[in-house]
Amino acid sequence: MSPRPSRHLALTGGLCLALLTGCGSSTDSGDDGGDSAAPSPVKVVASTNVYGSIAERIGGDHVEVTSVISDPAQDPHSYEADTRNQLALSKAQVVIENGGGYDDFVDRMLKSGDNTSAQKINAVEVSGKRASADGELNEHVWYDFPTVAKVADRIAAALGKADPDDAAAFEKNAETFKAKLTPLESEEAQIKKEHGGEGIGITEPVPLYLTGASGLVDRTPEEFSEAVEEGDDVSPKVLKETLALYSGKKVRALVYNQQTSGPQTEKVKKAAESAGIPVVPVTETLPKGEDYVGWMTSNVNALSDALTR
């Protein structure tokens, strides 16, 4: 079945035009018509370009953002920061990390440096999410839109504290950004209405907040997705059980993390393709040239398309 254009969320290439201060992370250096120099932008360091993108949308020209991880080929779980990152963190006024064990290099570098005044935003702590009694915390909270809205408010508050003169602009930009999340949540609700209770497969827990909000049930053996996330080998028994989901057509789609693929996840992908089950690729960081809302719009649209095939 072909995709239904009326269901698709519009990509937000024009998001920057809607912001009061414009987008980007440039530094004001032009003549403002007065004798005083333009104020220096607030220095922000984000562990990944996911949070860097959000900070740029809220801060506009009043921030200078450094995203430590911006290459989709890098695995944030195993990333080793360098001296350039340490220098950026030493000068940062606002630091944004995911938390939950995802980007521990940020805390290690802050502790080893002498920057004690930086405001730190931990997205997992902001989310309020906790591990269940019999499970582990899913730390990929940037796939949870209510959490992202909370993080946007925290970023606006931190920027306003660092630059009080522009605090109102930061608050307004955060409201504009959060308004762009509403259609994403509406699309999740529509998927839930049409496909709630249907099964999907994953390679690791990256997209589970998105798929869960869409009413979809992950049928992947937990031992498989946890092993992949931890970089461990999957036992032959668990791999066989996982592959049977696709040969037996027990799931409607495979949501596949492109960023940490390996021989066993490739077997799962091939099994899905051989069975005619759609594969929905996701990543942990923004593809080149994308902003957060445009990226998530593509992810939700791809999931919707897969379920209607």
Side-chain angles (χ1 to χ4, degrees):
M1 184 180 298
S2 60
R4 295 170 290 177
S6 62
R7 283 282 311 282
H8 282 186
L9 300 167
L11 289 175
T12 55
L15 174 62
C16 298
L17 297 178
L19 300 180
L20 179 67
T21 58
C23 74
S25 56
S26 59
T27 303
D28 271 329
S29 58
D31 187 358
D32 63 1
D35 295 331
S36 60
S40 298
V42 179
K43 290 180 170 57
V44 179
V45 172
S47 62
T48 73
N49 61 1
V50 174
Y51 297 111
S53 172
I54 298 170
E56 287 175 350
R57 296 300 174 264
I58 295 171
D61 291 336
H62 300 288
V63 297
E64 180 182 298
V65 177
T66 298
S67 295
V68 176
I69 300 177
S70 57
D71 183 353
Q74 292 173 325
D75 180 1
H77 291 279
S78 58
Y79 183 75
E80 293 292 335
D82 56 26
T83 54
R84 182 176 57 180
N85 305 142
Q86 183 73 65
L87 179 62
L89 279 167
S90 71
K91 298 179 179 180
Q93 294 164 272
V94 177
V95 176
I96 312 168
E97 65 177 354
N98 185 76
Y102 184 79
D103 43 14
D104 286 342
F105 64 86
V106 174
D107 288 334
R108 288 197 300 269
M109 292 172 63
L110 282 174
K111 287 178 181 178
S112 66
D114 56 1
N115 185 351
T116 59
S117 62
Q119 301 177 74
K120 189 172 73 171
I121 300 169
N122 182 307
V124 168
E125 291 179 0
V126 171
S127 76
K129 296 183 182 299
R130 300 287 186 271
S132 61
D134 58 348
E136 295 185 1
L137 170 72
N138 178 7
E139 71 272 21
H140 307 96
V141 294
W142 63 93
Y143 272 90
D144 180 66
F145 302 132
T147 291
V148 171
K150 293 178 184 178
V151 170
D153 285 335
R154 289 290 294 272
I155 292 173
L159 294 178
K161 185 175 180 181
D163 177 9
D165 289 344
D166 293 303
F170 300 143
E171 290 179 7
K172 186 171 183 178
N173 289 350
E175 292 302 318
T176 300
F177 173 80
K178 290 190 296 180
K180 300 292 182 179
L181 302 178
T182 301
L184 293 167
E185 294 182 277
S186 296
E187 180 71 353
E188 287 178 326
Q190 185 65 28
I191 294 173
K192 185 174 184 178
K193 181 179 178 181
E194 297 182 5
H195 302 283
E198 294 180 359
I200 58 151
I202 61 169
T203 53
E204 53 178 301
V206 172
L208 286 182
Y209 287 118
L210 189 157
T211 58
S214 300
L216 304 172
V217 179
D218 171 32
R219 302 203 186 282
T220 306
E222 189 174 348
E223 297 94 330
F224 180 89
S225 54
E226 285 187 358
V228 172
E229 184 177 28
E230 297 299 325
D232 298 331
D233 289 333
V234 179
S235 72
K237 178 178 179 291
V238 171
L239 180 59
K240 183 179 179 180
E241 291 174 1
T242 304
L243 294 174
L245 293 174
Y246 306 96
S247 60
K249 296 192 175 182
K250 298 177 183 178
V251 294
R252 290 290 304 275
L254 165 64
V255 187
Y256 180 88
N257 184 9
Q258 289 182 306
Q259 220 154 331
T260 55
S261 61
Q264 292 172 319
T265 58
E266 283 297 312
K267 285 183 179 180
V268 170
K269 181 181 177 183
K270 289 179 181 178
E273 292 170 339
S274 296
I277 293 172
V279 177
V280 181
V282 293
T283 57
E284 298 184 48
T285 53
L286 270 66
K288 187 176 181 180
E290 288 273 17
D291 64 20
Y292 177 82
V293 175
W295 174 48
M296 283 297 161
T297 298
S298 296
N299 288 333
V300 175
N301 284 344
L303 181 62
S304 175
D305 282 351
L307 295 169
T308 57
R309 291 181 198 172

